[in-house]
Amino acid sequence: MPVPATVIDSLRGYAVSRRAEPFALASGSTSSWYVDVKAALCYPQVLRQVSAAIVALAAAEGIDFTHVGGLTMGADAVAVGVALASDAQWFSVRKEPKSRGHGRAIEGAALSADSMVLLVDDVVSTGGSTIKALEAVRAAGATVVAAIPVVDRGAGAAAAMEAAGVRYLPLVNHGELGIPALGSE
């Protein structure tokens, strides 16, 4: 399913910039291209566009979900936006379980064996954050039906998701944003 040009244009305009010096990403890769989807999603119209596009992609691919979320902080705005656009419940996976209170690894909606989860994230490279969220969701007994990140930087996330047995459908890839894949600069 083609992503609306307005989504790609909004991400190019609000999220993509080039830096003079390469910098390190969470994956360990370096790049001169910075993709800050959180900066783009702070604009309500962009959050609505991206959320609607993710819901439309899931529907076009026959993916039914009751819950949406991923690893904090990258997935948080995406999860809430998609929840509002789809009537699913949202959740957020902590990087480490909370050391006080309930000691939860997952906040927001409670997941159970009946939960059909769509994992989301803002930007992925190797897929490490999505895999961490996947592990927490599976540990909660829920079923992951797919992973739809907003942007895939082209550094192996697809292979990682396939190895984990998760359907992987990035909304936008690096090429659509006009930037090189990580590792090819």
Side-chain angles (χ1 to χ4, degrees):
M1 180 195 113
V3 175
T6 54
V7 171
I8 295 170
D9 291 344
S10 291
L11 291 171
R12 274 191 204 130
Y14 291 110
V16 178
S17 62
R18 186 172 177 120
R19 294 189 172 175
E21 296 293 325
F23 61 95
L25 287 86
S27 66
S29 297
T30 60
S31 179
S32 295
W33 291 95
Y34 192 68
V35 181
D36 189 353
V37 171
K38 285 182 279 304
L41 297 180
C42 75
Y43 293 94
Q45 74 277 13
V46 178
L47 180 57
R48 281 191 293 273
Q49 290 171 349
V50 166
S51 300
I54 289 172
V55 172
L57 176 57
E61 293 291 329
I63 298 166
D64 294 320
F65 59 98
T66 59
H67 295 76
V68 57
L71 193 68
T72 197
M73 145 151 229
D76 294 346
V78 182
V80 172
V82 170
L84 289 169
S86 67
D87 289 328
Q89 294 181 41
W90 71 269
F91 66 90
S92 182
V93 178
R94 291 178 175 275
K95 292 181 179 165
E96 297 294 329
K98 193 172 180 180
S99 62
R100 59 191 185 287
H102 294 288
R104 295 182 186 139
I106 298 175
E107 297 289 349
L111 300 181
S112 69
D114 295 330
S115 303
M116 305 299 289
V117 171
L118 174 63
L119 290 175
V120 293
D121 208 340
D122 59 347
V123 181
V124 297
S125 53
T126 63
S129 293
T130 305
I131 294 292
K132 187 166 185 162
L134 169 68
E135 291 167 351
V137 167
R138 285 182 172 165
T143 301
V144 174
V145 295
I148 302 180
V150 178
V151 175
D152 182 326
R153 296 284 311 256
M161 293 298 112
E162 182 179 334
V166 174
R167 202 163 164 203
Y168 183 69
L169 302 161
L171 187 63
V172 177
N173 67 45
H174 58 89
E176 292 168 308
L177 293 179
I179 62 174
L182 285 177
S184 68
E185 293 181 48

